[in-house]
């Protein structure tokens, strides 16, 4: 792609994604739906103005790294610990059921290979933290006990999704499953998620000290972006997706970060807030590029629109939703609250799209399967928040999850 073509592509992507994202938000839909739609319009499905390109793909990957960084800053390890067993129960069911339901249909009805069917099911295990949190904030429910379970389970889902993606990524590159290397990879990923945020927090103390000697404007944005790039490179070097590094850097900035030495050091929250706010404009610029690129990668002309395929697509959407809705049923609370938890787990959002994009790039799934998978993710991303908002606004009893 030449420089003039790249500049025009970025102009079209940024402008149309903003317009359609704003439009979707005004009518109560997630902005990500508008951003993907912008890619569908610009890509080969409709206008054909843009095509998948390696340069755009790299820019889109930077966008998802920054988005996962933003999610990491909103993740509370402390909240996960306190909600404990209920979070793990909801998260476990919300991972296993969609994986089994959609994976089996992908294998038997769609005729995918066992690995491709497993990948398809794994792509539908994650839950979008950002979308569910947005709905909870809009309805002023973010401090309720059910909301804590929703947030915690969504975090566990996303972490499990990133680990699953790393394992599948490694298998796709190496072509085999060996117990010891796989175990080593899992332990490496867990260790990275445990220690990278702690190291990042230590670096933040150093950066805070150096900030007193900085003379140039934009110090916070430069040092934070450098830290994100460093952690993303390290994650990739260890065999994991680079986005895991962005997530770990975000955890280092988390408002509820806990460390053994925290009681002996001055609270760095004012400085971490500066770092987070400095990165917000960059995230808002680059993250939509990833979703637009997903839309550009979709080619609706490859989607067979016969009756059987449309029926199969609807079945996949229903199974993807049912697997998450059932996740809230074992909780000890009112049925409405169980449905609220289940509905909040339905939208797949960004992590599911990351799965789909990786599967297409690595050749695990074909372009037609990729298109169908993205449509399923978009459907859950749209229907989940609508159902959740209706339940929250109509909630009249005082039962809470316990």
């Amino acid at each position: 792609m030449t420089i003039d073509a790249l500049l025009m592509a970025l102009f079209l992507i940024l402008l149309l994604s903003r317009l359609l994202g704003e439009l979707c938000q005004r009518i109560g839909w997630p902005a990500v739906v508008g951003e993907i739609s912008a890619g569908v319009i610009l890509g080969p499905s409709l206008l054909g103005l843009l095509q998948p390109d390696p340069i755009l793909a790299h820019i889109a990957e930077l966008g998802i790294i920054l988005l996962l960084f933003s999610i990491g800053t909103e993740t509370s390890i402390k909240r996960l610990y306190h909600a404990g067993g209920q979070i793990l129960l909801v998260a476990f069911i919300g991972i296993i059921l969609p994986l089994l339901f959609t994976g089996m249909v992908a294998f038997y009805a769609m005729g995918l290979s066992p690995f491709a069917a497993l990948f398809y099911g794994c792509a539908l295990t994650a839950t979008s933290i950002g979308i569910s949190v947005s709905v909870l904030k809009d309805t002023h429910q973010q401090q309720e006990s059910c909301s804590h379970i929703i947030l915690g389970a969504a975090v566990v889902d996303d972490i499990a999704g990133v680990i699953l993606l790393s394992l599948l990524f490694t298998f796709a590159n190496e072509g085999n499953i060996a117990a010891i290397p796989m175990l080593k990879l899992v332990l490496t990923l867990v260790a990275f998620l445990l220690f990278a945020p702690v190291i990042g927090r230590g670096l933040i103390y150093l950066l805070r000290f150096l900030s007193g000697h900085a003379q140039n404007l934009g110090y916070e944005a430069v040092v934070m972006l450098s830290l994100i790039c460093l952690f993303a490179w390290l994650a990739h070097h260890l065999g994991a997706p680079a986005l895991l590094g962005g997530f770990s850097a975000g955890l280092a900035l988390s408002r509820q970060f806990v460390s053994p030495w925290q009681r002996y050091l001055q609270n760095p929250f004012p400085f971490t807030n500066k770092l987070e706010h400095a990165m917000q404009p960059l995230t808002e610029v680059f993250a939509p590029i990833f979703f637009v690129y997903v839309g550009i990668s979709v080619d609706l002309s490859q989607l067979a629109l016969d009756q059987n395929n449309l029926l199969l697509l609807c079945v996949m959407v229903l199974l993807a939703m049912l697997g998450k809705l059932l996740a809230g049923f074992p909780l000890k609370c009112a049925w409405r609250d169980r449905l609220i938890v289940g509905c909040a787990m339905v939208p797949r959002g960004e992590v599911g799209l990351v799965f789909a994009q990786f599967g297409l790039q690595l050749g695990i799934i074909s372009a037609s399967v990729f298109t169908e998978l993205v449509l399923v993710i978009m459907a859950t991303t749209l229907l989940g928040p609508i159902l959740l908002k209706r339940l929250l606004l109509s909630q009249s009893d005082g039962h809470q999850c316990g």
Side-chain angles (χ1 to χ4, degrees):
M1 178 177 283
T2 59
I3 183 62
D4 57 331
L6 176 61
L7 293 174
M8 179 52 66
L10 291 176
F11 166 74
L12 293 172
I13 288 171
L14 294 174
L15 180 63
L16 193 57
S17 65
R18 173 59 67 177
L19 290 175
L20 294 184
E22 290 282 349
L23 177 62
C24 284
Q25 285 187 318
R26 287 179 182 274
I27 61 178
W29 294 358
V32 65
V33 174
E35 292 161 359
I36 298 172
S37 300
V40 173
I41 294 171
L42 294 171
S45 296
L46 290 178
L47 299 181
L49 297 176
L50 298 177
Q51 300 289 334
D53 182 87
I55 296 177
L56 280 180
H58 289 317
I59 297 175
E61 188 169 359
L62 175 60
I64 199 60
I65 290 171
L66 293 177
L67 179 62
L68 265 291
F69 160 78
S70 178
I71 291 174
T73 63
E74 299 173 0
T75 300
S76 170
I77 303 299
K78 187 177 182 180
R79 180 175 291 160
L80 281 176
Y81 175 78
H82 284 304
Q86 293 187 93
I87 284 179
L88 294 177
L89 179 64
V90 172
F92 179 77
I93 296 174
I95 291 172
I96 295 298
L97 292 186
L99 174 58
L100 290 177
F101 290 167
T102 60
M104 290 178 67
V105 173
F107 178 70
Y108 289 106
M110 297 176 62
L112 299 185
S113 68
F115 181 62
L118 174 65
F119 189 92
Y120 193 107
C122 287
L124 295 171
T125 58
T127 295
S128 173
I129 299 174
I131 293 172
S132 298
V133 168
S134 177
V135 176
L136 292 171
K137 285 182 178 179
D138 289 343
T139 53
H140 307 290
Q141 299 285 331
Q142 67 268 32
Q143 297 303 323
E144 302 294 341
S145 55
C146 280
S147 299
H148 294 163
I149 294 174
I150 291 167
L151 291 172
V155 170
V156 173
D157 271 8
D158 276 2
I159 292 175
V162 170
I163 292 176
L164 282 173
L165 179 59
S166 301
L167 294 174
L168 295 173
F169 176 80
T170 301
F171 175 78
N173 284 330
E174 297 183 1
N176 58 61
I177 297 179
I180 294 179
M182 278 294 176
L183 179 60
K184 182 180 178 181
L185 176 62
V186 172
L187 293 176
T188 300
L189 293 175
V190 172
F192 183 82
L193 283 169
L194 287 175
F195 293 108
V198 177
I199 296 171
R201 193 67 160 197
L203 291 174
I204 286 171
Y205 280 107
L206 175 61
L207 294 173
R208 185 184 63 171
F209 170 76
L210 295 176
S211 67
H213 305 280
Q215 300 296 323
N216 298 327
L217 295 176
Y219 172 81
E220 291 84 3
V222 170
V223 297
M224 196 63 241
L225 184 58
S226 301
L227 193 62
I228 292 171
C229 291
L230 174 63
F231 277 56
W233 171 84
L234 182 59
H236 182 76
H237 184 70
L238 293 174
L243 57 89
L244 187 64
F247 183 73
S248 299
L251 286 176
L253 258 69
S254 176
R255 300 174 186 86
Q256 300 189 47
F257 183 90
V258 178
S259 66
W261 65 77
Q262 192 163 306
R263 69 183 68 179
Y264 305 110
L265 296 173
Q266 184 181 359
N267 193 321
F269 288 168
F271 183 64
T272 57
N273 285 338
K274 283 185 179 181
L275 293 175
E276 186 177 346
H277 290 152
M279 289 304 302
Q280 188 172 353
L282 286 174
T283 303
E284 291 179 352
V285 168
F286 282 96
I289 296 177
F290 170 78
F291 297 116
V292 175
Y293 191 77
V294 169
I296 293 172
S297 301
V298 168
D299 189 353
L300 294 178
S301 65
Q302 301 205 25
L303 184 63
L305 296 178
D306 58 86
Q307 185 176 355
N308 290 335
N309 279 322
L310 287 176
L311 178 61
L312 183 60
L313 185 62
C314 292
V315 168
M316 279 297 194
V317 172
L318 290 175
L319 290 177
M321 294 181 65
L322 181 62
K324 291 294 188 180
L325 286 171
L326 293 175
F329 277 39
L331 297 175
K332 297 177 180 179
C333 55
W335 280 103
R336 184 184 295 274
D337 293 328
R338 299 181 193 186
L339 282 174
I340 287 174
V341 173
C343 286
M345 303 298 290
V346 166
R348 297 324 198 260
E350 54 279 343
V351 178
L353 293 171
V354 173
F355 255 100
Q357 189 65 33
F358 265 82
L360 180 65
Q361 289 178 352
L362 296 173
I364 300 172
I365 55 177
S366 65
S368 60
V369 173
F370 168 78
T371 299
E372 293 177 13
L373 180 56
V374 170
L375 290 176
V376 173
I377 293 170
M378 287 181 66
T380 61
T381 302
L382 177 60
L383 295 174
I386 293 174
L387 293 174
L388 177 61
K389 199 166 188 176
R390 286 183 179 273
L391 279 171
L392 289 172
L393 292 176
S394 64
Q395 187 176 26
S396 57
D397 55 61
H399 296 290
Q400 294 295 331
C401 297

